[in-house]
Amino acid sequence: MFIATNRLFVPAERAKEFEDHFRTNMRTFLPGVPGLLRSTLLKPTKDDQPYVSVNEFESEEHFRAWVASDSFREAHKRNRGIARHVTGNAVETFQHAEDMVLPQQRTEA
């Protein structure tokens, strides 16, 4: 698995519009991307934290093919609308190292 993240700094007063635009882009351009397993937008819990976009691919080759695709170019051309909300960003990539999925655990109050 290959994971690409993008940390996106958005002022609190622009958060709602940013989320709406980003969500629309995700739903429009990501379905059907070969090798894309999951795409997630994480919302910050504090004003000084960034949003984090997480895209999980089957392989780095699938990620690179997506970045070179017409779909990627079209989505990022539309990102001009998102860009006015973002004051900074940082793209990072990772290889999968470990997963642990736990069964749902019940806690009694």
Side-chain angles (χ1 to χ4, degrees), residues 3 12 16 19-20 27 33 48 51 54 58 65 69 78-79 94 98 101 107:
I3 301 164
K16 170 83 169 83
E19 288 177 29
D20 291 346
R27 293 176 181 174
V33 169
D48 63 341
Y51 282 84
V54 181
E58 290 178 20
S69 73
R78 278 197 46 150
N79 280 353
F94 304 89
E98 179 67 27
V101 179
T107 57

Side-chain angles (χ1 to χ4, degrees), residues 12 20 54 84-86 89 100 107-108:
D20 291 346
V54 181
R84 68 175 181 229
H85 305 296
V86 177
N89 77 304
M100 183 172 76
T107 57
E108 299 293 331

Side-chain angles (χ1 to χ4, degrees), residues 50-108:
Y51 282 84
V52 179
S53 169
V54 181
N55 292 297
E56 299 175 14
F57 288 86
E58 290 178 20
S59 68
E60 184 173 357
E61 292 75 23
H62 283 103
F63 169 73
R64 301 277 174 220
W66 174 62
V67 169
S69 73
D70 290 339
S71 175
F72 180 88
R73 281 189 290 283
E74 185 63 29
H76 287 78
K77 183 168 67 173
R78 278 197 46 150
N79 280 353
R80 292 181 194 132
I82 290 175
R84 68 175 181 229
H85 305 296
V86 177
T87 59
N89 77 304
V91 176
E92 300 167 318
T93 57
F94 304 89
Q95 293 288 341
H96 181 264
E98 179 67 27
D99 253 343
M100 183 172 76
V101 179
L102 301 173
Q104 185 174 357
Q105 298 181 27
R106 185 174 179 167
T107 57
E108 299 293 331

Side-chain angles (χ1 to χ4, degrees), residues 2-59:
F2 187 80
I3 301 164
T5 66
N6 191 358
R7 299 180 322 129
L8 302 149
F9 291 88
V10 178
E13 66 273 9
R14 296 184 184 162
K16 170 83 169 83
E17 190 175 353
F18 167 80
E19 288 177 29
D20 291 346
H21 196 98
F22 201 96
R23 185 177 296 114
T24 298
N25 262 12
M26 287 175 72
R27 293 176 181 174
T28 301
F29 295 103
L30 294 181
V33 169
L36 181 62
L37 302 172
R38 182 177 179 157
S39 184
T40 305
L41 179 63
L42 303 175
K43 183 176 181 173
T45 58
K46 297 178 184 168
D47 287 344
D48 63 341
Q49 294 176 320
Y51 282 84
V52 179
S53 169
V54 181
N55 292 297
E56 299 175 14
F57 288 86
E58 290 178 20
S59 68

